[in-house]
Amino acid sequence: MKLYTYYRSTAAYRVRIALALKNLDCELIPVNLLNGEHKSNAFLKKNPEGLVPVLDTGEYMLSQSMAILEYLEETYPQTALLTGNAADRAFIRSLAQTIASDMHPLNNLRILKYLTGELGLQEEQKLQWYHHWIKSGFTSLEQRLKKSAGTFCVGDALSLADVCLIPQVYNAHRFNCPMDDYPTVNRLNDKCMSLPAFADSAPDRQPDAI
Ligand SMILES: N[C@@H](CCC(=O)N[C@@H](CS)C(=O)NCC(=O)O)C(=O)O
């Protein structure tokens, strides 16, 4: 398999973690989002959305990190990341979707660029936007995680919720979001980052990290 990735992409970071947890061999192919490589014809042929991550399975070219995570889960069930009964799995997915659907899309590179570009917002206003949506997402996550977390987001088993949470915490740190109000999130982040699958998948450990 090959993963088209960018070191700072939180969506690609999710997939890197899952590949590592499942101990899967995958070649990482950096796509430079800063110089617009994701808008090149060569990359758009792989993913017309012009977004990373893209997983080339050899047979399929898959985009959208949550779809890729579900594909990996179904194809390589070892180190299961969606466990328990249907309601347990729905809860794991709901935590993951808060991050992937409600938080990340509002704070993505192209959205932030649009705010300061086409809409003419100042850097400070952009950060206000970023912090607002991060705060709203982490506040609801903290409330739910306070009840559900053991060692990891849901009890003592790693799940897709942890795979999505840790990259979003990285992103919040990157934009200097205050995190003091989220003790459970911080504890889970410390625990996961002590595991090689998370630490080795982190942006600063990637070959394309600047
Ligand atoms: N919903 C998509 C989001 C993918 C996405 O937004 N990727 C970002 C990096 S995290 C990207 O490629 N951004 C390029 C841009 O914003 O121009 C997923 O989960 O894969």
Side-chain angles (χ1 to χ4, degrees):
M1 287 191 285
K2 293 179 188 168
L3 180 70
Y4 292 85
T5 172
Y6 175 64
Y7 75 109
R8 271 184 168 161
S9 159
T10 49
Y13 186 4
R14 293 173 199 148
V15 177
R16 295 196 299 261
I17 295 168
L19 288 165
L21 286 171
K22 291 176 176 292
N23 214 6
L24 297 171
D25 269 342
C26 187
E27 182 186 353
L28 299 181
I29 304 188
V31 178
N32 189 330
L33 300 189
L34 283 189
N35 74 11
E37 195 183 346
H38 56 307
K39 303 286 181 206
S40 68
N41 286 337
F43 184 74
L44 290 174
K45 276 191 199 141
K46 295 179 181 28
N47 181 12
E49 297 165 283
L51 299 170
V52 294
V54 173
L55 185 74
D56 180 355
T57 69
E59 196 176 355
Y60 308 106
M61 202 63 90
L62 303 177
S63 66
Q64 290 292 339
S65 62
M66 301 313 290
I68 295 171
L69 291 173
E70 295 259 358
Y71 167 84
L72 291 174
E73 188 62 13
E74 288 173 21
T75 314
Y76 306 99
Q78 74 273 14
T79 314
L81 296 170
L82 266 175
T83 53
N85 62 25
D88 297 330
R89 295 196 298 277
F91 181 64
I92 292 168
R93 287 187 175 102
S94 90
L95 293 171
Q97 289 297 345
T98 294
I99 297 161
S101 305
D102 295 349
M103 294 172 78
H104 174 264
L106 291 165
N107 293 328
N108 196 7
L109 178 66
R110 59 186 170 155
I111 307 305
L112 301 180
K113 274 171 88 171
Y114 189 78
L115 292 176
T116 51
E118 278 86 338
L119 295 186
L121 265 57
Q122 298 302 309
E123 191 62 22
E124 204 180 304
Q125 292 173 299
K126 179 189 93 175
L127 285 178
Q128 189 182 341
W129 164 283
Y130 183 94
H131 287 196
H132 173 80
W133 295 114
I134 285 289
K135 185 173 179 188
S136 148
F138 276 129
T139 300
S140 94
L141 283 171
E142 177 68 25
Q143 281 164 6
R144 285 181 284 162
L145 290 170
K146 233 179 353 202
K147 294 188 188 142
S148 70
T151 312
F152 299 109
C153 284
V154 184
D156 293 326
L158 274 166
S159 72
L160 288 187
D162 303 283
V163 166
C164 291
L165 179 69
I166 279 28
Q168 197 61 51
V169 173
Y170 155 79
N171 204 250
H173 288 160
R174 187 181 152 208
F175 284 89
N176 295 320
C177 288
M179 294 295 284
D180 292 346
D181 288 344
Y182 320 118
T184 315
V185 168
N186 294 331
R187 173 176 70 75
L188 294 166
N189 186 58
D190 290 347
K191 174 64 195 169
C192 287
M193 288 306 287
S194 73
L195 305 177
F198 287 81
D200 295 344
S201 305
D204 59 352
R205 298 267 185 99
Q206 300 312 296
D208 55 329
I210 301 166

